[in-house]
Amino acid sequence: MKIINKKPKEIFRRITVTLLFFISINLNAQSSSPTEANKPRKKIHIYIALTAFSKSSINLLYAISNNFYYGLSYRTGDEPIQKGVISPGIYEDSVDIKEFKRTRMNESWGLRTQYFFFGSFYGSLNFGLNKAYKEEQKNQFFIQSNNIDFKPYQKTTIYSDRYSASLGIGYRKEIFEFLIIGSEFEYGHLSTRRINEHYSFNPQYFNGLPDNYVTEQVFLREKNQNSRDYLSVSVYAGIAL
């Protein structure tokens, strides 16, 4: 799920072009086969959806009836990170080296419901969970000339779970018996993500508070990510079983 910071006219232009494209396909299909709109659909739909500026998601849907589907979606998010970070020290010819770790970020699960109200067009109601993740800065060393000094300092930042709910309208069509293609537009709301910072250090080593701690508390303290509305447009393809 991604916040789209584009002008409304540009967003609606792209949505309109996408919908008109699929409407033309649907009208051509129905004109060639009058019973196309009432054709039974396969029970299971599995597809991969692509969304601008975001990782793709895999979706598994099951049909309770010919027109009503429900199921799950999953997005892997960004891979975990573990690396060394080198930065200039506070003294001339000195450097700080520390270990940076981050668990998987932007991993999300979703519950999707879809109802086909006209031919291949459907409305959707969706709920999502963007999972919490954690960042750690630890094992910090101060190097100057031939001297190496271990700094007893560690920072852990925890980003809480984030919830979402959206309404959507989409188009999905089965082709060649077992393939599906589609597109969906969603408008939804994303909840606040709370950010908690935890520090661990030895005040005797630093003769008080560490410089990093003071600077971050005064100037760089992270704020909660506020709730917001979002727009999302996706295209997808998959299989019907």
Side-chain angles (χ1 to χ4, degrees):
M1 186 174 298
K2 184 69 176 180
I3 305 303
I4 303 177
N5 294 318
K6 294 181 177 291
K7 294 181 179 180
K9 288 184 178 180
E10 177 67 13
I11 294 172
F12 288 111
R13 184 186 70 82
R14 294 187 179 187
I15 294 170
T16 302
V17 170
T18 302
L19 288 177
L20 288 175
F21 171 75
F22 285 117
I23 287 172
S24 65
I25 294 177
N26 192 52
L27 291 177
N28 289 334
Q30 291 187 27
S31 62
S32 61
S33 176
T35 61
E36 183 74 19
N38 298 320
K39 182 179 179 180
R41 298 182 178 88
K42 298 292 180 63
K43 282 287 188 181
I44 298 175
H45 284 183
I46 303 173
Y47 59 86
I48 294 177
L50 303 178
T51 306
F53 313 111
S54 183
K55 295 281 186 179
S56 60
S57 65
I58 183 168
N59 300 262
L60 172 61
L61 300 176
Y62 178 80
I64 297 178
S65 68
N66 191 50
N67 290 333
F68 183 69
Y69 284 75
Y70 79 99
L72 297 174
S73 67
Y74 175 69
R75 180 174 284 115
T76 60
D78 300 322
E79 294 290 332
I81 294 176
Q82 182 172 358
K83 63 181 181 179
V85 179
I86 301 176
S87 58
I90 59 175
Y91 301 109
E92 187 176 356
D93 298 327
S94 66
V95 295
D96 281 326
I97 301 177
K98 61 186 175 184
E99 180 184 1
F100 176 81
K101 295 177 62 177
R102 190 193 69 203
T103 59
R104 186 177 295 275
M105 182 176 69
N106 290 329
E107 180 182 13
S108 62
W109 288 90
L111 175 64
R112 309 188 71 85
T113 60
Q114 300 174 348
Y115 182 77
F116 286 83
F117 60 88
F118 178 75
S120 297
F121 288 92
Y122 64 86
S124 67
L125 174 63
N126 312 293
F127 300 95
L129 167 65
N130 192 304
K131 293 182 63 177
Y133 66 97
K134 179 173 65 174
E135 293 180 351
E136 291 183 281
Q137 300 177 30
K138 60 181 182 179
N139 297 333
Q140 189 169 357
F141 292 88
F142 173 75
I143 302 176
Q144 185 178 28
S145 300
N146 295 324
N147 298 320
I148 301 178
D149 191 14
F150 175 73
K151 288 186 175 183
Y153 178 88
Q154 178 174 329
K155 176 187 176 183
T156 302
T157 306
I158 299 174
Y159 299 82
S160 71
D161 290 332
R162 205 170 191 183
Y163 303 94
S164 64
S166 69
L167 293 173
I169 185 170
Y171 177 97
R172 181 162 73 252
K173 184 175 180 63
E174 297 179 6
I175 59 175
F176 306 119
E177 297 296 329
F178 65 93
L179 297 179
I180 55 176
I181 58 171
S183 180
E184 184 172 354
F185 162 73
E186 292 180 57
Y187 177 80
H189 184 77
L190 198 61
S191 71
T192 298
R193 166 164 273 160
R194 302 191 180 280
I195 301 175
N196 295 309
E197 297 175 326
H198 304 274
Y199 295 85
S200 176
F201 56 85
N202 185 348
Q204 294 180 344
Y205 173 89
F206 294 99
N207 294 320
L209 299 175
D211 293 335
N212 288 357
Y213 176 82
V214 174
T215 301
E216 291 176 2
Q217 293 299 305
V218 176
F219 301 106
L220 303 176
R221 187 175 180 85
E222 292 200 65
K223 298 180 180 180
N224 293 334
Q225 298 174 5
N226 294 330
S227 61
R228 64 184 73 184
D229 295 337
Y230 68 90
L231 297 174
S232 175
V233 181
S234 62
V235 293
Y236 57 81
I239 59 175
L241 302 174

